């Protein structure tokens, strides 16, 4: 599905959820450092995108939610011949993305806002390391957004660090305690969100700060209509992902 793109499609800070505005403030503050340290810790993510590209024809529509500076994901998707849209809550991140990847379309958009429906549907929706700070109910709502934004038969790919507990983690903006997220948790959340899980791939990786950790990559597709467990697509958003660990 193609949409008619208008200037007003991008959201102002006032139109975002309180959580989106808070995340934007944090991301704007760390944008320069994020651009400096992130590339060294994105090799695994880049490999996952290369795998995704083998499943998509040239010209397919792809969404990168929490796109940050556009690198490496939007850049890779564009190089693969896809029609790419990146969304983020941070104007500083988006400004960098527009310079880094001029072929893509970038919009200020709060993922959990109901206005995401204005984006239309995509052949693939991806999000890497943007959901890990969300409590489970909000995580499910975020995944339900991806289910609603992806056409039947399309692909959703979500990457998160595996967290076996709530041990403190060092991030770009200080130490925080992300909620637990095991591979079993990720599968359960995806199914609650109306996604059919194809695979949860586990790859060794590192955090932005260089700590070794396991990365989980969910490969899923929207479940058929009327399948039990898809009602969560209508859940109201209560938070916004934050990619600036």
């Amino acid at each position: 599905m193609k949409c008619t793109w208008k200037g007003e499609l991008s959201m102002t800070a006032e139109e975002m959820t309180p959580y989106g505005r808070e995340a934007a403030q944090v991301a704007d503050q760390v944008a320069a450092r994020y651009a400096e340290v992130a590339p060294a810790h994105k090799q695994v993510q880049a490999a996952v995108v290369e795998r995704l590209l083998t499943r998509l024809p040239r010209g397919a529509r792809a969404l990168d939610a929490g796109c940050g500076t556009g690198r490496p994901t939007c850049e890779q998707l564009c190089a693969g011949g896809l029609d790419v849209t990146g969304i983020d809550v941070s104007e500083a991140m988006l400004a960098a993305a527009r310079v880094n990847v001029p072929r893509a379309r970038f919009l200020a958009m709060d993922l959990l806002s109901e206005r995401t429906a204005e984006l239309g549907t995509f052949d693939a929706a991806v999000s890497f390391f943007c959901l890990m700070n969300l409590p489970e109910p909000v995580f499910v709502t975020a995944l339900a957004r991806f289910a609603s934004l992806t056409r039947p038969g399309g692909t959703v790919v979500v990457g998160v660090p595996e967290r076996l507990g709530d041990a403190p983690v060092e991030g770009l903006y200080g130490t925080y305690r992300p909620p637990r997220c095991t591979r079993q948790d990720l599968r359960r959340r995806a199914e609650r969100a109306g996604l059919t899980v194809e695979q949860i791939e586990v790859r060794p990786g590192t955090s932005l700060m260089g700590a070794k950790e396991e990365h989980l990559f969910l490969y899923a597709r929207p479940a058929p209509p009327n399948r039990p467990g898809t009602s969560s697509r209508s859940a109201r958003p209560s938070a916004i992902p934050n990619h600036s660990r």
Side-chain angles (χ1 to χ4, degrees):
M1 172 180 175
K2 293 284 186 181
C3 26
T4 301
W5 295 93
K6 301 178 181 180
E8 63 266 23
L9 187 60
S10 282
M11 298 175 65
T12 65
E14 291 73 21
E15 292 175 301
M16 294 181 184
T17 66
Y19 305 93
R21 290 194 294 271
E22 180 181 359
Q25 290 174 356
V26 172
D28 285 346
Q29 292 172 1
V30 303
R33 190 176 180 204
Y34 178 86
E36 178 183 345
V37 305
H41 304 287
K42 297 287 190 176
Q43 295 94 336
V44 173
Q45 176 178 323
V48 170
V49 174
E50 287 299 323
R51 177 183 174 185
L52 173 64
L53 284 170
T54 66
R55 305 173 60 162
L56 297 170
R58 295 185 68 85
R61 296 193 72 220
L63 174 70
D64 182 7
C67 62
T69 63
R71 289 177 172 167
T73 300
C74 289
E75 191 170 52
Q76 283 181 275
L77 294 173
C78 282
L82 273 57
D83 177 4
V84 180
T85 298
I87 63 172
D88 206 291
V89 297
S90 167
E91 288 291 354
M93 293 285 190
L94 290 168
R98 292 181 183 115
V99 173
N100 292 336
V101 195
R103 289 174 55 193
R105 177 187 298 109
F106 293 101
L107 300 168
M109 181 70 70
D110 184 333
L111 172 65
L112 295 179
S113 167
E114 294 179 358
R115 283 197 60 194
T116 55
E118 298 175 36
L119 295 169
T121 55
F122 295 83
D123 299 290
V126 304
S127 183
F128 295 112
F129 308 105
C130 299
L131 309 184
M132 67 275 184
N133 294 343
L134 300 179
E136 181 159 330
V138 185
F139 196 119
V140 171
T141 301
L143 292 177
R145 282 282 187 260
F146 293 127
S148 68
L149 289 168
T150 307
R151 66 167 180 79
T155 301
V156 175
V157 182
V158 174
V160 293
E162 183 165 41
R163 303 296 187 206
L164 303 180
D166 63 350
V169 174
E170 183 183 2
L172 289 177
Y173 54 92
T175 301
Y176 67 105
R177 290 181 178 271
R180 187 189 77 171
C181 184
T182 66
R183 58 203 76 179
Q184 294 82 10
D185 293 328
L186 184 57
R187 178 178 293 275
R188 183 182 67 254
R189 295 171 189 180
E191 291 172 348
R192 285 181 57 198
L195 291 168
T196 297
V197 177
E198 296 181 352
Q199 180 186 6
I200 294 178
E201 184 180 20
V202 183
R203 292 179 178 240
T206 60
S207 71
L208 289 179
M209 307 307 292
K212 292 183 179 180
E213 57 188 16
E214 296 291 311
H215 291 171
L216 308 179
F217 293 95
L218 167 72
Y219 296 82
R221 61 184 185 276
N226 302 320
R227 174 175 172 170
T230 61
S231 60
S232 61
R233 291 193 190 189
S234 61
R236 295 187 63 82
S238 56
I240 185 71
N242 186 339
H243 52 60
S244 305
R245 289 191 282 165

